[in-house]
Amino acid sequence: MSLQGDLEVEVRRVWGAPSDGAHDIWHLRRVWANCTRIADGLAQEVDRDVLLIGAYLHDIVNLPKDDPRRKEAADMSARHAVDWMQARGLPRSDAVAYAIRGHSYSANAPCETLEAQVLQDADRLEALGAIGIARCFNIAGQMGSGLVHGFDPLATERPLDDRAYALDHFETKLFGVAETLNTAPARALADERVKVMRSFVAQLVQEASL
């Protein structure tokens, strides 16, 4: 079996039946696809095995957004990845662990290697564009949040509250994600995705305003 096949087996073993549409096997496959797109656009060489393992195991410990241990999830995933790699005699487990720790938005860990920067960018692209919209509303539904404030959807006369309304999360976090990207290929992809999001927001506001 290929390395990617082994990783998919491990994810299914740990996760069991999928219960989170925002963090499922398709999310991991998309992050890996984003890694390859970014790597293809870089002038420097990057270790693609590190990216492959990081893409598949970065969320292997997947805690809910409102779990008090949320900031520890990346470190827990990194330790799982090291154990998995060492059991198979795979090299560069330290590089994979560093990249996984660095991908986390909430943990705010260092992200100085090229592999860590690519993995972080690849995962953050998932928060943007049409897939970012879909994942945002999926997670909002899991947390019991509303869709949009009907009288003031853009929070011009009220505080933003992304725990109460999914649309508020666009301003409190998602649009800012594009500004945190490390690599030029990722930033180019993000520009197009943000355009999609802004168009969606304009249409949603038009339809939802009362």
Side-chain angles (χ1 to χ4, degrees), residues 58 61-64 67-80 100-101 103-104 106-108:
H58 75 282
V61 177
N62 180 30
L63 301 176
D67 191 301
R69 300 168 298 159
R70 179 70 181 180
K71 291 183 179 181
E72 302 171 29
D75 185 62
M76 296 163 72
S77 294
R79 285 187 270 118
H80 184 105
I100 290 175
R101 290 188 178 100
H103 96 275
S104 173
S106 57
N108 195 30

Side-chain angles (χ1 to χ4, degrees), residues 21-135:
H23 297 89
D24 57 9
I25 194 69
W26 297 105
H27 166 63
L28 305 181
R29 289 169 177 166
R30 289 191 302 268
V31 170
W32 168 231
N34 288 339
C35 283
T36 62
R37 292 187 188 104
I38 295 168
D40 287 345
L42 293 172
Q44 310 99 306
E45 288 297 319
V46 60
D47 190 325
R48 298 198 184 213
D49 282 347
V50 168
L51 293 178
L52 175 60
I53 298 170
Y56 270 89
L57 299 185
H58 75 282
D59 279 337
I60 195 69
V61 177
N62 180 30
L63 301 176
K65 292 285 187 183
D66 54 357
D67 191 301
R69 300 168 298 159
R70 179 70 181 180
K71 291 183 179 181
E72 302 171 29
D75 185 62
M76 296 163 72
S77 294
R79 285 187 270 118
H80 184 105
V82 168
D83 292 343
W84 186 85
M85 292 179 69
Q86 290 182 348
R88 288 157 182 77
L90 296 173
R92 302 211 67 198
S93 62
D94 57 337
V96 171
Y98 183 85
I100 290 175
R101 290 188 178 100
H103 96 275
S104 173
Y105 195 95
S106 57
N108 195 30
C111 186
E112 296 179 358
T113 67
L114 185 56
E115 289 85 4
Q117 292 172 359
V118 171
L119 180 62
Q120 185 186 83
D121 285 358
D123 185 58
R124 292 186 180 184
L125 283 172
E126 279 278 280
L128 304 174
I131 197 67
I133 294 169
R135 295 179 78 236

